[in-house]
Amino acid sequence: MVGEGWVAHIPSATYGPPRLGGAVVARPAITELLSASDAGLVVVTAPAGYGKTTAVALWDHSDARPFAWVRLDHLDNDPAHLLLHLVTAVDQVAAVDAATFQYLRGAGRAVETQLVPASIAALESAGQIVLVLDDIHELTHDAAVSALRALVQLAPASTTLTLIGRSAPPLDLARRRLEGRVLEIGTEQLKLSAAEAESALDSVGAPVGPSAALVIERCEGWAAGVVMAGMALRDGAPTDVITGRHRMVADYLVEEVLGRLNPEIGTFLIESAVLDHFTAEDLNSVLQRGDSADMLNAIHASGNLFLVALDEQGIEYRYHRLFADLLRERLRNRDPARFRDVASRAAAHLERAGDIDGALVHALAADDLARAAALVERDAVRLGFDGRAGILERRLSLLDEHVFAHHPDAAIARAWFGLTLGDADLIQRSLLLAAAADRGAALADGAPSVKVAAALVSSLVGIGGVLEVVRHADTVCAAGDHLVNPWWGAAASVKGGALSMAGDSENARATLESSLPVLDDLPGFRAVALAHLALLDLDDGALQSAARRSAQARGIVDSRDLCDLVPMVLVYAVDGLVRGHRGDVAGARDAVRGAERLLDRLGDLAARTAALGHALTAATALEIDDPELWRRHVDAGLLAARREPDAAAVHQRLARVRELLAAHAQRGPRPSLTAAELRLLPHLATHLSLQKIAGELHLGRETVKSQATAIYRKLSVSSRAEAVAEAARLGLLDLP
């Protein structure tokens, strides 16, 4: 009930179309959506700066109907003032009877039974009209909301009622939604498209190019953010300063969002932004409170405040990135101790959830360097040896030299990364730092001590020769079997490879085979172990087993994208030799290319691996009849082998290749048959069919047929008998 003597004053600035300053960016998609709708009610809600009013103003410009505009403020919480305000706006586009104004200004009239019906009558007399109520979030009193609810329910079909605001009051719209009589437009629809954002940047004179894409991504379609970023770029600011901390953006967000909140919600907002995305349960854990769900609901109901729901159920949320930047910076600056406390708990929470990258960022923000070092080291081996070395590199890049010098976890992690690169200097420097910083504690990856972790790294580097490799591997294995020591299998595989190179094939095979069952989560180590076993099989004449194991090793490298991991040189080298032995020249050459690429990167690191890689590649060259390849790798292998006097099997392999190379040189200009073709020649002199010959050689029939055809071509003959006779004449075949 309006009191006696009440006289309303409606400022002229609060009705009539809005003044749109500067160049206005066209919004064709949203204008078409609004123009095409026949809903009697339109609700446009989004946080500040999303262009709500501009979007409706563009609709006004394109629609033939008259638009009556009302900009609400706190005075409209008086329902009598509200209704008079609406009718005054209508009068600007469709004259309202003066008696109606006199009636609405009259004292003592009941709102719902007298003032609302009078307002509805004014709308009916206006004909086709769009009534726009801007800043609808200003209506917070129950009486004003009740009056608006009645207006929504009773408005004539000729009126399209349009509500604009950061949030909408409760208007009981469920039935309207079911009946399709309400059009609701929110943040997603109001976001600027890439083309619209570029137009906005151009309208303020900002450069439109590569920087525009970055601005659009950071602003997430927020119109005000794009415009402010454009103004900053226009004035010479680099794109990397376009964050919520930029003065222009921060001032806007503080004034339009944070400055309007009660202190309790403001504090919750600032502290909750420490997590990039969150649920109420996450926030309860990190902020040590029990009402996060209620607070999130209150924030959402109050106008979203740049709170973005990540699922339809409203369980997981994040803040708009620029808004989150501002919130975190305010907490960091206003209460550094509280910021570190919250960030530290966030790091622990994310680590438990398995988000190591997020935990690392928060540990560094909290200045918890010990936790940061542990987070980097815990997965370093697996990342380095299962094709994800890039992740390890990125994590290491977040640490400075102080962390590596004072926290052995970080230094060991960097040593592992050095292994993936073949960087001997980085490895040694990191191991020295780890030893200097050792305080006797276990490491995050499960290694019981720095000594054990360093021994595993050193076993792979192998400075001092294969016997030193065995000693380092034994140090790791002595720390416990695979049930208590996560690196037992890795160390056993390295030891087995070293024993094989030293010529102890029996113990090498047993050690390698014992390591395989516990290497499933270390694919790089498993691949190398299989390659060593394939080579032992090949030396024993078990070609089928060698081919199977080599294919498994190569399959791991290919499927896990380990092709750039230096220790995989052995996998490529063995694969090339096995393929060459089977007559697959194209496959052998492909494997050789992979081996040569990694041998170049290996350099002076791990002489035993280099010597064996060159020896195997030279042997493959014999198989595929490539003299230049022989000579190049024999020479390089001999040079590397000088640093490995105890690698007896490697020396023997190189000696055999040199003997074959010398024999080839003595033969003179005779037809050049590959090693695989030379193995086939004696079988052609028998009465066995190609199928049976293929079985004896453990090859496919088509492979044998292809090799026989190549022999005929090289010997310039056309039959099996002619091939045997010509080979005997040339001294390539001894006949009884």
Side-chain angles (χ1 to χ4, degrees):
M1 185 76 71
V2 180
E4 294 288 339
W6 175 79
V7 177
H9 172 66
I10 308 297
S12 60
T14 65
Y15 56 85
R19 296 183 179 89
L20 300 178
V24 177
V25 176
R27 307 292 307 274
I30 198 164
T31 300
E32 182 179 347
L33 178 64
L34 288 163
S35 299
S37 174
D38 58 359
L41 177 65
V42 176
V43 181
V44 183
T45 54
Y50 269 93
K52 302 180 290 295
T53 300
T54 301
V56 176
L58 290 170
W59 174 32
D60 180 355
H61 182 72
S62 66
D63 198 305
R65 292 174 295 177
F67 276 59
W69 285 80
V70 180
R71 183 164 65 83
L72 303 175
D73 58 30
H74 68 284
L75 296 175
D76 291 297
N77 277 304
D78 182 327
H81 187 281
L82 170 65
L83 295 171
L84 181 60
H85 200 171
L86 305 186
V87 175
T88 301
V90 171
D91 185 54
Q92 304 305 302
V93 295
V96 176
D97 191 324
T100 300
F101 283 105
Q102 185 176 359
Y103 185 82
L104 289 173
R105 287 191 174 96
R109 307 204 192 280
V111 174
E112 294 195 7
T113 59
Q114 294 177 306
L115 298 183
V116 169
S119 302
I120 295 297
L123 290 174
E124 290 173 342
S125 66
Q128 292 289 330
I129 190 173
V130 179
L131 176 58
V132 182
L133 278 63
D134 203 354
D135 287 342
I136 194 71
H137 52 269
E138 294 286 354
L139 296 187
T140 57
H141 291 194
D142 290 343
V145 172
S146 295
L148 178 61
R149 188 182 297 115
L151 197 69
V152 169
Q153 293 170 351
L154 300 174
S158 57
T159 299
T160 298
L161 190 59
T162 302
L163 311 179
I164 305 173
R166 298 178 186 180
S167 61
L171 298 176
D172 303 332
L173 300 180
R175 181 178 293 277
R176 277 185 174 268
R177 291 190 182 102
L178 289 174
E179 296 172 352
R181 294 189 297 119
V182 59
L183 172 63
E184 295 177 280
I185 293 177
T187 303
E188 285 303 313
Q189 293 83 1
L190 289 165
K191 286 181 178 178
L192 295 181
S193 67
E196 290 166 346
E198 287 192 5
S199 295
L201 291 172
D202 185 60
S203 72
V204 297
V208 178
S211 59
L214 184 58
V215 167
I216 292 167
E217 177 189 353
R218 288 184 179 175
C219 293
E220 301 184 59
W222 179 38
V226 170
V227 171
M228 287 185 286
M231 294 169 68
L233 293 176
R234 178 196 64 197
D235 296 338
T239 53
D240 58 4
V241 305
I242 307 303
T243 69
R245 301 185 299 276
H246 187 273
R247 177 188 55 77
M248 193 181 302
V249 177
D251 288 349
Y252 182 91
L253 291 172
V254 169
E255 181 178 338
E256 293 294 330
V257 181
L258 292 182
R260 301 175 180 231
L261 299 174
N262 69 55
E264 185 180 6
I265 289 183
T267 298
F268 177 82
L269 269 175
I270 290 171
E271 293 188 351
S272 61
V274 72
L275 292 176
D276 289 330
H277 53 86
F278 46 80
T279 65
E281 185 177 351
D282 294 335
L283 294 179
N284 282 340
S285 171
V286 171
L287 303 181
Q288 295 185 322
R289 57 191 303 158
D291 62 346
S292 295
D294 294 337
M295 297 298 287
L296 288 172
N297 289 335
I299 292 169
H300 187 75
S302 68
N304 198 11
L305 296 176
F306 297 95
L307 181 67
V308 181
L310 298 179
D311 53 56
E312 294 182 357
Q313 295 75 32
I315 296 174
E316 189 168 10
Y317 293 91
R318 70 171 176 85
Y319 292 116
H320 187 289
R321 292 184 183 89
L322 296 185
F323 191 50
D325 282 343
L326 170 69
L327 296 175
R328 283 191 285 267
E329 189 67 10
R330 284 175 75 83
L331 181 59
R332 189 194 303 268
N333 291 338
R334 292 189 171 191
D335 192 345
R338 176 62 175 166
F339 175 80
R340 287 193 297 272
D341 182 46
V342 172
S344 181
R345 284 203 300 275
H349 173 79
L350 291 171
E351 182 179 4
R352 289 193 297 270
D355 182 359
I356 303 305
D357 288 302
L360 175 59
V361 169
H362 285 87
L364 290 170
D367 204 27
D368 189 348
L369 301 183
R371 183 190 293 276
L375 287 166
V376 172
E377 198 271 342
R378 56 174 283 174
D379 296 321
V381 181
R382 290 176 176 83
L383 291 174
F385 284 79
D386 70 0
R388 296 179 293 163
I391 296 175
L392 176 58
E393 181 180 20
R394 186 184 72 243
R395 292 177 182 175
L396 287 167
S397 70
L398 298 176
L399 308 181
D400 59 28
E401 284 302 320
H402 172 83
V403 181
F404 295 114
H406 293 85
H407 300 280
D409 285 275
I412 291 293
R414 192 166 64 173
W416 281 113
F417 181 62
L419 273 170
T420 70
L421 300 176
D423 189 334
D425 178 64
L426 182 63
I427 295 168
Q428 292 306 314
R429 197 156 33 90
S430 299
L431 291 181
L432 288 173
L433 288 175
D438 185 12
R439 299 294 181 271
L443 300 187
D445 65 358
S449 67
V450 170
K451 178 183 177 182
V452 169
L456 184 56
V457 174
S458 298
S459 71
L460 286 165
V461 177
I463 295 176
V466 291
L467 299 184
E468 191 71 0
V469 169
V470 172
R471 186 181 70 80
H472 285 307
D474 282 339
T475 297
V476 180
C477 292
D481 63 17
H482 68 279
L483 296 176
V484 296
N485 177 5
W487 306 118
W488 181 89
S493 70
V494 175
K495 178 181 178 179
L499 290 172
S500 175
M501 293 184 204
D504 188 353
S505 58
E506 183 177 350
N507 283 327
R509 184 181 292 278
T511 304
L512 288 165
E513 288 180 341
S514 70
S515 74
L516 285 180
V518 294
L519 291 177
D520 287 342
D521 64 339
L522 293 170
F525 284 94
R526 183 176 180 83
V528 174
L530 285 166
H532 275 297
L533 285 168
L535 188 57
L536 290 170
D537 288 340
L538 193 63
D539 290 343
D540 289 345
L543 185 57
Q544 283 186 319
S545 178
R548 175 177 54 81
R549 281 175 158 155
S550 179
Q552 289 174 347
R554 180 66 186 271
I556 292 171
V557 170
D558 292 343
S559 65
R560 296 298 189 112
D561 194 22
L562 305 179
C563 58
D564 291 325
L565 193 61
V566 172
M568 297 305 106
V569 63
L570 184 65
V571 174
Y572 282 103
V574 171
D575 185 49
L577 183 57
V578 170
R579 289 177 184 273
H581 201 76
R582 293 172 65 86
D584 179 5
V585 176
R589 289 194 179 279
D590 175 72
V592 164
R593 284 191 291 271
E596 288 189 312
R597 177 171 49 81
L598 294 181
L599 282 168
D600 287 343
R601 292 183 58 193
L602 182 63
D604 294 331
L605 183 70
R608 72 191 190 285
T609 303
L612 181 57
H614 286 298
L616 295 175
T617 305
T620 303
L622 283 171
E623 296 285 352
I624 63 177
D625 192 27
D626 188 335
E628 176 58 31
L629 190 64
W630 298 345
R631 297 183 184 93
R632 185 167 71 248
H633 284 283
V634 166
D635 291 343
L638 290 171
L639 185 63
R642 292 175 186 172
R643 296 164 51 204
E644 282 288 351
D646 296 316
V650 178
H651 285 275
Q652 291 170 7
R653 194 176 299 279
L654 283 166
R656 285 200 303 271
V657 172
R658 290 184 71 191
E659 290 172 3
L660 290 170
L661 186 59
H664 179 274
Q666 293 173 1
R667 283 202 302 263
R670 292 182 293 177
S672 180
L673 302 185
T674 67
E677 291 162 358
L678 289 171
R679 278 194 297 274
L680 175 60
L681 267 178
H683 292 81
L684 293 179
T686 70
H687 296 293
L688 296 175
S689 67
L690 291 183
Q691 183 67 53
K692 289 186 176 180
I693 292 173
E696 288 200 358
L697 293 176
H698 304 295
L699 299 173
R701 184 183 182 282
E702 290 303 314
T703 299
V704 171
K705 182 179 178 181
S706 175
Q707 291 176 0
T709 300
I711 291 172
Y712 299 166
R713 175 177 51 78
K714 292 178 180 180
L715 297 181
S716 300
V717 300
S718 58
S719 70
R720 183 169 170 176
E722 290 176 353
V724 170
E726 181 66 8
R729 187 185 71 79
L730 294 172
L732 298 174
L733 181 65
D734 293 327
L735 293 178

